[in-house]
Amino acid sequence: DGVMVMRWLALEMQDQTPDLIRAMATSQSTAMLKDAASSLASMVPQNLAIADVDGGYGWLVAGSIPARRGFTGRVIYPGGDPAFGWEGVIEDRPQAFQPDQGFVVTANSKPDHPSADRIATAFLPPHRYDRITTVLRALPAATPADMASLHLDVQDGAAMRHLPWLLDGAITD
């Protein structure tokens, strides 16, 4: 009855991931790495949090992400319908460099970016992102010990939200 379409961009490109790894090893600044990553679009997408010795830092999505016409990935679409399909790759990928808050956080959560819904349909809930952001905002100047502590942090925002009704033994929602 229907047409099944299977396509993976990684099979259609010359993978430049080794070039990105080389750029990560040889770039002298976050600006250099950002430029290199921007020019290396032919690779499986990478989520990069970067910093340099001069205080530069940032986050970017590097690589090729298919731009799909009329398709979000949330439901199956009719493969034979020309209203759906690929339009190339997303050029405007999320990134943040030297933001006013003084740090970047990803935690595999949905980025605040116009392309977010075109990039993926499933992101992790914001609990980890929110916890990391809360801890970092409370630190006047983060130390290596602070970062080690944050990496070992086990507080769960979802659990904290449900804890009152769990302790009461009553389900309220």
Side-chain angles (χ1 to χ4, degrees):
D1 261 335
V3 175
M4 182 170 79
V5 176
M6 296 179 70
R7 186 173 179 184
W8 186 26
L9 186 59
L11 296 175
E12 299 179 17
M13 63 185 176
Q14 180 180 347
D15 186 13
Q16 292 181 303
T17 304
D19 298 316
L20 177 65
I21 294 168
R22 179 174 171 74
M24 289 169 45
T26 59
S27 292
Q28 299 297 309
S29 67
T30 56
M32 285 178 67
L33 183 53
K34 177 183 173 185
D35 290 345
S38 296
S39 69
L40 299 172
S42 294
M43 66 182 140
V44 175
Q46 305 291 322
N47 185 29
L48 302 176
I50 63 176
D52 62 34
V53 297
D54 296 319
Y57 64 94
W59 161 76
L60 67 126
V61 174
S64 296
I65 303 166
R68 297 170 180 95
R69 183 176 48 257
F71 175 63
T72 64
R74 290 184 173 90
V75 296
I76 297 171
Y77 72 93
D81 188 337
F84 299 91
W86 289 27
E87 305 178 302
V89 296
I90 295 172
E91 298 295 334
D92 182 26
R93 296 179 300 272
Q95 60 181 333
F97 286 86
Q98 308 289 132
D100 291 340
Q101 69 181 1
F103 56 86
V104 293
V105 178
T106 66
N108 296 323
S109 62
K110 184 176 180 177
D112 182 18
H113 190 273
S115 296
D117 287 328
R118 296 182 75 200
I119 291 172
T121 59
F123 294 94
L124 289 180
H127 308 111
R128 258 181 68 225
Y129 178 92
D130 293 344
R131 174 66 179 159
I132 294 167
T133 300
T134 297
V135 169
L136 291 176
R137 282 189 178 144
L139 295 172
T143 66
D146 292 328
M147 294 297 93
S149 176
L150 183 55
H151 279 276
L152 297 173
D153 187 280
V154 295
Q155 183 171 322
D156 183 333
M160 296 300 287
R161 190 176 75 238
H162 296 292
L163 189 60
W165 65 260
L166 286 170
L167 293 174
D168 287 344
I171 298 176
T172 58
D173 55 40

